[in-house]
Amino acid sequence: METSPFLARRNIGLDFLRAILILEGVLYHAARSLPGNNNSWYYIANKNESIAFSSLIEFVHTFRMEAFFFLSGMFSAMVILRKGKDFFIDNRKKRVLLPLVGAFAFIPPVMYLITSFIGGEQITHTGLLHSWGYLHHLWFLVSLTIMSLIVPVSWCEKISALFRRLPLPVIVTAIIIACNFFFAVKYVVKDMGELVALLPVTARFFIYYVAGYALYVNRDKIPEIKTSIILKSWLLLPFGLLTYLSFYIILDRQIEGVMKYIPVLIASVFSVLFSFWLVFFFEKMSIKESKTVKLVVDSALVVYIMHYPVVIFFSWYADTWLGRAFSLSYVATITVIGLGCSLLLYFMVKRSKVLSTIFGLKPATVKPAPAPLRPE
């Protein structure tokens, strides 16, 4: 049995997990420039494809955002129950909506300039205006805004009440079915425009969001949930390996058609179970709030917002630095550059009161210099 209530106080482990899930996007976007099944990406490098590495990246991507929205729902429930709905709405406006508006003001035109330069296309005023029709990597802030500020909290409360009455295997099955339904809808409407395609994507991730919300509301059931056989490490680790191998086989044999979605179906089961497991694992980790951990947690959102144009530009610019065979070194180089440049931009944002407000940060405080000693 639990010796202390679940999340009775701030948990550094889960804050760190949420930051890592966000920042892994830098590696993912750097890796997408490798040749393979990503021919629609902004730039495809002249490098050999690494099947093992590409499979790993695709595998991690199947649960990264799922676990992130699961955590977001859990933290949303915690804030609402502790500080009320009005505080939560005000907080989401400052920490989600305002950063979205601020980032959307400059990310689309910057991306237009970069992609036009890489593609050797002429830059026009019309193209610049049309650039605001694309969300790029900001889609998750749009989805999170919808979940936090548009979807009624009462929906989450009703689902949480249903969650309480059902055993975990039934809950997991319902999540898997609902998520796969919206995944299929996404591919039906994918050619209807980015905003239309975002609707089933948001609905799918809302399933994870509300599952995390319900978990916190029913946190007294967590000791029982933890003991479920479907969340045992000895079962999840081989299942994760099986999921990875399914991606590897599809990429290695270049399987097309309906068969290529088999790894996605397998991953849809793994990602639900793994989201629960990750929360319980990191909640118990004894991570102390060091300067490094605090920096990672505080900078994660700004770094993620800023990294996108940096990674795309250097994916093109650095393509000639390394030989064709150095695929992993190429991705590692782009990832380090993306993280480094974005972290510098974070420090610049942090020092500005206006930019700190826009990106939901607390501005850096400058300690006043000590007064000079007066001679007696």
Side-chain angles (χ1 to χ4, degrees):
M1 297 295 291
E2 296 271 77
T3 57
S4 61
F6 182 72
L7 293 186
R9 62 186 65 87
R10 183 186 178 191
N11 187 282
I12 305 302
L14 290 181
D15 284 342
F16 187 68
L17 171 61
R18 181 168 55 176
I20 293 300
L21 291 172
I22 294 175
L23 294 176
E24 196 279 330
V26 182
L27 173 62
Y28 174 70
H29 292 138
R32 290 201 68 182
S33 287
L34 291 180
N37 292 335
N38 286 320
N39 294 328
S40 61
W41 192 240
Y42 301 97
Y43 178 76
I44 304 300
N46 184 30
K47 296 288 180 286
N48 292 329
E49 183 184 11
S50 173
I51 301 295
F53 179 70
S54 296
S55 302
L56 178 62
I57 292 297
E58 291 300 320
F59 166 64
V60 173
H61 189 59
T62 61
F63 65 79
R64 180 178 70 89
M65 293 308 299
E66 286 79 355
F68 170 80
F69 279 102
F70 189 90
L71 276 172
S72 297
M74 196 174 68
F75 285 130
S76 294
M78 182 175 66
V79 172
I80 290 172
L81 292 179
R82 290 183 181 180
K83 299 186 177 181
K85 296 178 183 178
D86 291 340
F87 177 89
F88 170 75
I89 291 174
D90 183 64
N91 179 268
R92 294 299 88 184
K93 288 178 181 178
K94 294 177 181 177
R95 301 293 299 275
V96 179
L97 179 59
L98 193 55
L100 168 62
V101 174
F104 191 69
F106 72 91
I107 288 292
V110 169
M111 286 301 303
Y112 169 69
L113 295 176
I114 289 175
T115 53
S116 297
F117 180 76
I118 291 175
E121 300 174 359
Q122 185 178 2
I123 296 172
T124 64
H125 290 94
T126 302
L128 195 62
L129 289 174
H130 287 170
S131 69
W132 276 285
Y134 299 93
L135 293 173
H136 300 287
H137 66 313
L138 302 179
W139 66 266
F140 90 100
L141 284 175
V142 176
S143 295
L144 199 54
T145 298
I146 293 172
M147 297 174 197
S148 304
L149 300 177
I150 297 179
V151 175
V153 174
S154 60
W155 289 15
C156 298
E157 294 171 343
K158 290 177 181 178
I159 295 175
S160 297
L162 179 62
F163 183 102
R164 186 170 189 83
R165 297 195 297 267
L166 299 175
L168 183 63
V170 175
I171 293 170
V172 168
T173 301
I175 293 173
I176 293 168
I177 293 173
C179 288
N180 280 314
F181 170 77
F182 287 116
F183 181 81
V185 173
K186 171 193 169 184
Y187 276 86
V188 171
V189 303
K190 65 179 181 178
D191 296 328
M192 297 182 183
E194 188 177 14
L195 293 179
V196 174
L198 184 60
L199 294 177
V201 171
T202 301
R204 179 175 177 273
F205 284 119
F206 176 71
I207 303 298
Y208 281 89
Y209 177 91
V210 77
Y213 190 103
L215 179 66
Y216 183 81
V217 170
N218 299 286
R219 57 197 178 279
D220 59 301
K221 291 191 64 178
I222 286 179
E224 175 189 342
I225 293 174
K226 280 184 176 181
T227 60
S228 176
I229 191 173
I230 61 176
L231 295 183
K232 297 297 183 181
S233 299
W234 57 263
L235 178 64
L236 278 178
L237 292 179
F239 194 12
L241 178 60
L242 172 65
T243 308
Y244 166 76
L245 289 176
S246 66
F247 279 105
Y248 182 89
I249 292 171
I250 293 296
L251 291 178
D252 183 54
R253 300 187 179 182
Q254 299 181 354
I255 298 174
E256 295 294 335
V258 178
M259 293 291 291
K260 75 175 184 180
Y261 294 109
I262 289 179
V264 178
L265 293 176
I266 299 174
S268 69
V269 180
F270 177 77
S271 62
V272 177
L273 299 175
F274 198 55
S275 294
F276 280 93
W277 186 90
L278 274 177
V279 166
F280 298 146
F281 180 80
F282 275 84
E283 189 260 338
K284 286 300 181 184
M285 286 188 69
S286 56
I287 299 179
K288 297 181 179 179
E289 191 174 10
S290 64
K291 290 184 178 180
T292 301
V293 171
K294 189 176 187 303
L295 176 61
V296 171
V297 171
D298 293 346
S299 66
L301 179 60
V302 175
V303 169
Y304 183 77
I305 289 174
M306 298 296 188
H307 88 278
Y308 206 70
V310 176
V311 165
I312 303 305
F313 175 77
F314 278 98
S315 294
W316 166 78
Y317 185 69
D319 191 13
T320 57
W321 293 1
L322 296 169
R324 183 179 175 86
F326 294 98
S327 301
L328 301 188
S329 299
Y330 167 76
V331 173
T333 301
I334 304 308
T335 302
V336 170
I337 292 174
L339 288 171
C341 293
S342 302
L343 192 59
L344 290 176
L345 292 171
Y346 161 76
F347 288 125
M348 294 173 61
V349 169
K350 185 78 171 176
R351 293 182 63 87
S352 167
K353 290 184 178 180
V354 174
L355 293 178
S356 293
T357 300
I358 291 175
F359 287 97
L361 302 174
K362 294 180 180 179
T365 55
V366 180
K367 296 182 179 180
L373 297 175
R374 295 181 178 178
E376 297 183 358

